[in-house]
Amino acid sequence: MAPRANWKGFLRLSLVTCPVALYPATSDTEKVSFNQINRKTGHRIKYAKVDADTGEEVANEDIMKGYKIDTDTYIEVSKDELDDIALESTRTIEIDEFVPRTDIDSRYVIRPYYLVPDGKVGHDAFAVIRETIRTMNKVAIGRVVLTNREHIIALEPLDNGLMGTLLRYPYEVRNEKEYFDDIQDVKITKDMLDLAKHIVEQKSGSFEPDQFEDRYEQALIDLINQKRNGLGTTAKAAPKSGGNVINLMDALKRSLAGERQAAPAAKGQVQEKTKGKKPKKRVEGQREMLLPISGGGKRAVKENAKEAPKKAEKPVRSTARAKKAG
C-alpha cells in the first residue's frame, strides 16, 4: 500500500501551476521496534499526561502550549492564536530561484520527499517545470508549509518526478569554528600521504546501497527469532582493541599490507557465492515473518496458546553483503 501524502497543494513557476502531492521518500517502519512492558504482568506500559505539581491527569482539551521564560513562568499561546499567524503559503510551493546543486551545503539537508502530480490534470505543467529544471542543470528553491512551519525546499528531477529536499535555516546550523579551532596544525610527510593514498585505492569502489546490510537490525531479528523458538542466547565477547598506535608510519604500512591481503580473499568469496547461482529476484515488499513477544516466561506461553499472535513482518536483508569497515 502506497504511503499517504504528507502534503497536497500546488507547484508554481511564475504563471505555470499544477496540483502536486508530497510523499516521504524514506521510512523507518521497516525497522524492528519495541514496546515497553511490565516485567511482572507482561502488559504494555501506558503513559498519561499529568500536572507536574499536583500529579493529577490532565485531559487533552485542557492542555495548551506555553513558552518558558523563567522557572515556572510561561507565556501561554492558544491554538486560535497560532491559526491567526498561519502562513498564506500553506497550499502552494512557489519556486523563488534556481541555484547550482553544488551550492547547497550538505549540513543544510534535512530529509527527502517525492513530489508528483496530484490527479489526472496538470501533468503537462508538471513536465514543463521538471524538464526546465533538468535542462538548466540546477536546483529549484521554494518554500512549503508542513505542520504549521514554513520550510525551504530544494526541487530537482528524479526520473519522471521531482525530489524535494527540506533544508535547514542558517540559525539551525552550528558554526564549525567552535569545534575546529583547537585542532592542531600538523605537517604530514609525503611518504605518509602516499601510503594513505594506496590504502584508499585498495578500498575504492562505487557506491551501491544494496550491498550494505544493517547488521544491528539483522542481529535484532536473529535475537527475536531465537527467543521465539525457545533458544537460549549467549553474550558475545567484547571486540579486541587494535591497541595504541605507537608509530603512525608503521600503522600505515601494516594497514596497506592488510588491505592487499584482504582484497584477493574478499574477491574469491564473492565469486564462490555467486558461482552457478542466479540472483534471486527481489519481490517488492518481501519481508521476514516474525512473531511478537508478549510478556515472558510460562505466562507468555499460556497466552500464546490461547490466542495466536499476529505476525510482525520484517525485511529480509540476508542477501545483502555488509561492506567492510575501513
Side-chain angles (χ1 to χ4, degrees):
M1 182 181 295
R4 296 175 58 183
N6 281 30
W7 179 92
K8 288 187 177 184
F10 296 90
L11 176 63
R12 179 184 299 159
L13 173 60
S14 189
L15 298 179
V16 180
T17 305
C18 62
V20 292
L22 197 68
Y23 294 89
T26 60
S27 172
D28 288 329
T29 58
E30 300 291 320
K31 291 184 176 180
V32 172
S33 61
F34 295 98
N35 293 315
Q36 291 185 325
I37 59 174
N38 185 335
R39 186 191 300 274
K40 296 180 180 179
T41 64
H43 300 156
R44 285 187 60 180
I45 301 297
K46 178 183 177 181
Y47 289 94
K49 298 178 180 179
V50 299
D51 188 296
D53 289 339
T54 66
E56 297 179 354
E57 188 170 352
V58 183
N60 286 334
E61 58 268 22
D62 294 329
I63 298 176
M64 62 187 306
K65 296 182 182 294
Y67 179 80
K68 186 175 182 179
I69 58 175
D70 200 354
T71 304
D72 296 329
T73 305
Y74 299 86
I75 296 177
E76 297 179 352
V77 181
S78 67
K79 184 179 183 301
D80 292 337
E81 290 173 326
L82 292 174
D83 290 340
D84 289 340
I85 65 170
L87 300 168
E88 295 180 358
S89 58
T90 52
R91 308 312 310 164
T92 303
I93 300 176
E94 183 147 7
I95 297 176
D96 297 325
E97 60 178 341
F98 295 86
V99 301
R101 182 66 179 84
T102 54
D103 283 2
I104 300 177
D105 190 322
S106 59
R107 292 175 295 178
Y108 286 80
V109 174
I110 300 179
R111 57 184 171 272
Y113 287 86
Y114 295 141
L115 195 68
V116 303
D118 184 29
K120 297 181 179 180
V121 298
H123 285 250
D124 291 345
F126 182 87
V128 168
I129 296 175
R130 180 195 65 213
E131 293 309 311
T132 300
I133 300 173
R134 194 193 307 273
T135 302
M136 299 298 292
N137 196 26
K138 290 190 175 183
V139 176
I141 303 296
R143 294 173 184 268
V144 62
V145 175
L146 298 174
T147 61
N148 297 325
R149 284 270 186 173
E150 187 177 55
H151 299 269
I152 306 170
I153 187 168
L155 302 173
E156 54 188 315
L158 181 64
D159 293 333
N160 292 330
L162 288 171
M163 183 177 74
T165 305
L166 294 191
L167 303 177
R168 294 182 173 89
Y169 288 99
Y171 72 86
E172 298 178 276
V173 179
R174 293 176 176 175
N175 191 326
E176 72 278 3
K177 292 183 179 180
E178 299 177 12
Y179 306 89
F180 297 165
D181 280 349
D182 293 334
I183 298 178
Q184 298 179 10
D185 186 13
V186 297
K187 292 183 178 180
I188 305 298
T189 66
K190 183 178 181 301
D191 291 340
M192 288 184 178
L193 283 177
D194 288 341
L195 283 171
K197 288 178 181 178
H198 284 306
I199 295 173
V200 173
E201 290 173 357
Q202 293 290 331
K203 287 178 163 293
S204 294
S206 58
F207 180 66
E208 300 176 10
D210 290 341
Q211 298 299 315
F212 288 91
E213 178 187 6
D214 188 339
R215 293 178 293 183
Y216 181 71
E217 177 78 3
Q218 190 59 49
L220 286 177
I221 293 174
D222 293 341
L223 173 63
I224 293 173
N225 281 334
Q226 288 177 6
K227 295 180 73 69
R228 180 189 66 180
N229 294 324
L231 303 177
T233 59
T234 55
K236 292 184 178 180
K240 295 182 179 179
S241 172
N244 295 328
V245 176
I246 305 300
N247 185 289
L248 180 56
M249 179 63 79
D250 182 52
L252 288 168
K253 290 179 179 178
R254 286 189 295 176
S255 296
L256 180 58
E259 289 302 324
R260 285 174 173 170
Q261 292 177 359
K267 184 177 180 180
Q269 290 176 359
V270 173
Q271 292 177 344
E272 183 66 26
K273 289 181 180 179
T274 57
K275 185 178 180 181
K277 292 184 179 180
K278 294 182 178 180
K280 293 182 179 180
K281 184 177 180 182
R282 183 182 182 278
V283 180
E284 188 65 29
Q286 182 183 17
R287 302 173 180 177
E288 181 174 350
M289 306 299 290
L290 292 179
L291 292 177
I293 303 171
S294 58
K298 297 180 179 179
R299 186 188 49 73
V301 175
K302 293 180 180 179
E303 289 181 356
N304 290 337
K306 293 179 180 178
E307 181 180 0
K310 295 180 179 179
K311 294 184 178 180
E313 299 179 349
K314 287 300 162 190
V316 176
R317 300 185 181 89
S318 57
T319 57
R321 175 176 58 84
K323 282 200 172 182
K324 187 177 179 182

